[in-house]
Amino acid sequence: MNVRRLQRASVAATAALAVVLTGSGLALAAPPNRTPTPVITSSPAATTNSTSASFSFTDTNVSAVFSCSRDGVAYAVCTSPVTYTGLAAGSHQFSVKATAPGLKGSSTVTKSWTIDLTAPNVPTVSQPATPTKNTSASISFSSSSTDIQSYLCSIDGAADIACTSPKSVTVAEGYHTFAVKAVDKATNVSAAKTVAWVVDLSTPQPVISSGPPTVTSATSAGFTFDSTEPGVTFSCSIDSTTTYTACSPPKAYSSLAIGTHTVRVRATDAAGNVATSDPYTWKIQAVAPISLTWSNSGALPSSVTTETDGTFDFTATGQTTLACRLDGVDEPTCTSPGLVSGLADGAHTYTLVADSGLASEVQLRFAWTVDTVAPDAPTVTGPTGIVASPDADITVTPASVSDVIDCELDSVSIDCSAPFTASGLADGAHTFSAIASDEAGNAAESDLNWTVDTTGPQPSVTAPGSLSGSVKVEFDEDATGVSSDSVYLTTDTAALVTTTMTCFTSADASTPCDASDIARVDLTPDTRLLLGGYYSVSVNPASAATVVDGLGNVSGATTDAFRAATTVDESSTALSYSWRKV
């Protein structure tokens, strides 16, 4: 009792002292908190894709002893920091509390977080116009996933950079790709969605190959024309520089009036680039004493050709003189057919000139282009070697915007104008071919070869030829993960047979069984098999499915049964002889 009175007196005296000192204008610090107050100072992000988590914590009471719990398990004494590994996807909670000698335990401090290992959905990306003559494009993108934090963009295979939709890009002439990946709050990154387009700034220059003589009495005229760029559309104008109507070669005009006429051809490519040919001018008069015609138009060169020779059959009447000119230079002779050979690449013109230099001069010309240079082969990117996926994303990049690209997958024609995805390919070898061709027919090819392998190494079992022989397990491709847990021998009652395991490569060389190039496994029983006994070899049981190939394809669970030899030779060591004394 005296002790209790003394304690109460001490408390009262302390309180009185506090009052006196406060009344005199002095201030005392409040008594320290007698209960531990743990604080978590570092922890994982609220959403993360890390399967590890580390927590740091502290307390103002240096004597505090901490206890930790994760996901509701029993508390255990811990020290800062605490690290957990191998955590599963989903929600988790970390709790910590503290005690100190002689003090009341603290309240519990918790921290919750979520492990998200699922990549977001592939974004949807708007397709720029292609081909186009605009060097700028605005590309929009989005993802159907609800937890998207940001996006990563890449132009023409460059490093990913953070971006927002819409993304404005400015590029040069040529083939371009734009790839977008979505990043969720756990920093998981989606697969990329790629769009491709072509910026074409080249003008498709049209050339009028042939037309009427420069002076004629015919009131009709026919024209052939072409462009060095494939895939263009044409429009024609006669006696006007502004009025053009759609046309295609050959173009014929009739019922023309006497007088001078001019034809122009305009070419427009798919990107909207426009160019106009040089004018073709001729005169119609009542009487034309000179007549020049191509007598075999089918023998004339193609407007764009790889041929370096040319044949020009013609008929000429009424002229005083006649000259044949190749590219403005008179040929030594001028008789039909006119023959030219050994032409260099480039534009050429063959012209018949009647009465050169006279008032009655008449010309008939034919223009064409020789092109013997093959285009550069396109660049093809996609899978190579042996892959485990039956799907393949393939991108074809033409070396020139004017090239025509034809593609084949395993000899079947496909459309490869945009990044191409092949799905559900069968196991085995595959070839993707991209062929670039120009207007003259020159071609260059790029091939992509790979092999799809979605099947694990398949085992086959060969029973031993004797009671003391080895059971052979052969794989149809190199395997790894071979061990006594994944390949073993049992009796018909599922009793494990103790064996010595020896592994071999495809070259039949002995190798450690933990190697990555196992082609065969020999299981040699430590004791002889029972005569006529039943046995089973198990490969990749569900409890230890570790046998895989180099791509990670798992060998299917296999159990092959066999029966040991039912007869033995009398000299076999499997026989033993004994007798007794009588």
Side-chain angles (χ1 to χ4, degrees), residues 215-218 258 283-291 360 362:
V215 179
T216 180
S217 61
I258 291 176
K283 181 181 179 181
I284 300 175
Q285 61 185 32
V287 177
I290 298 174
S291 174
S360 58
V362 177

Side-chain angles (χ1 to χ4, degrees), residues 203-561:
T203 55
Q205 186 63 45
V207 175
I208 298 176
S209 302
S210 64
T214 54
V215 179
T216 180
S217 61
T219 58
S220 61
F223 296 85
T224 60
F225 46 88
D226 204 346
S227 172
T228 55
E229 181 177 328
V232 301
T233 59
F234 295 101
S235 56
C236 298
S237 168
I238 183 167
D239 300 334
S240 173
T241 59
T242 58
T243 303
Y244 285 83
T245 58
C247 62
S248 58
K251 174 63 177 175
Y253 294 97
S254 61
S255 302
L256 298 174
I258 291 176
T260 301
H261 299 277
T262 299
V263 163
R264 295 176 177 84
V265 176
R266 179 170 289 173
T268 304
D269 65 15
N273 298 298
V274 178
T276 303
S277 70
D278 292 333
Y280 193 104
T281 300
W282 78 108
K283 181 181 179 181
I284 300 175
Q285 61 185 32
V287 177
I290 298 174
S291 174
L292 301 177
T293 59
W294 301 118
S295 56
N296 185 4
S297 58
L300 296 172
S302 299
S303 56
V304 181
T305 180
T306 59
E307 299 295 329
T308 59
D309 301 339
T311 299
F312 299 87
D313 291 295
F314 59 87
T315 300
T317 60
Q319 75 278 1
T320 302
T321 62
L322 183 66
C324 296
R325 293 175 182 171
L326 175 63
D327 299 332
V329 178
D330 286 354
E331 294 284 272
T333 60
C334 187
T335 58
S336 181
L339 302 176
V340 296
S341 61
L343 299 175
D345 277 22
H348 298 279
T349 303
Y350 191 88
T351 308
L352 297 177
V353 184
D355 289 2
S356 177
L358 303 178
S360 58
E361 180 178 312
V362 177
Q363 294 189 5
L364 180 65
R365 69 173 185 269
F366 184 86
W368 77 108
T369 299
V370 174
D371 179 7
T372 63
V373 179
D376 291 333
T379 300
V380 181
T381 57
T384 57
I386 302 177
V387 299
S389 174
D391 302 333
D393 292 325
I394 301 171
T395 300
V396 179
T397 306
S400 171
V401 296
S402 63
D403 293 341
V404 175
I405 305 296
D406 296 304
C407 295
E408 295 179 349
L409 176 60
D410 297 333
S411 300
V412 177
S413 296
I414 59 170
D415 179 9
C416 60
S417 56
F420 173 75
T421 298
S423 302
L425 297 175
D427 279 20
H430 297 277
T431 299
F432 180 92
S433 301
I435 304 99
S437 56
D438 58 21
E439 182 72 359
N442 300 296
E445 180 175 335
S446 292
D447 293 328
L448 188 69
N449 298 288
W450 75 101
T451 299
V452 173
D453 178 9
T454 61
T455 307
Q458 300 303 304
S460 59
V461 176
T462 303
S466 65
L467 299 179
S468 57
S470 299
V471 182
K472 299 184 184 300
V473 181
E474 296 182 85
F475 297 104
D476 62 353
E477 61 178 314
D478 286 349
T480 186
V482 173
S483 70
S484 58
D485 292 327
S486 58
V487 181
Y488 53 81
L489 179 66
T490 58
T491 66
D492 58 347
T493 61
L496 184 67
V497 177
T498 304
T499 61
T500 299
M501 178 181 288
T502 308
C503 296
F504 299 88
T505 66
S506 56
D508 209 30
S510 177
T511 187
C513 287
D514 59 359
S516 60
D517 55 350
I518 306 301
R520 191 182 89 234
V521 179
D522 287 359
L523 300 175
T524 305
D526 291 354
T527 58
R528 287 190 294 268
L529 301 178
L530 296 178
L531 186 66
Y534 291 91
Y535 297 89
S536 294
V537 174
S538 295
V539 178
N540 257 9
S543 58
T546 60
V547 178
V548 298
D549 61 16
L551 299 175
N553 296 309
V554 179
S555 176
T558 302
T559 300
D560 283 349

Side-chain angles (χ1 to χ4, degrees), residues 5 114 138 167 194 249 289 334 374 418 471 582:
R5 291 192 189 98
T114 299
S138 179
K167 174 67 174 176
T194 302
C334 187
V471 182
V582 177

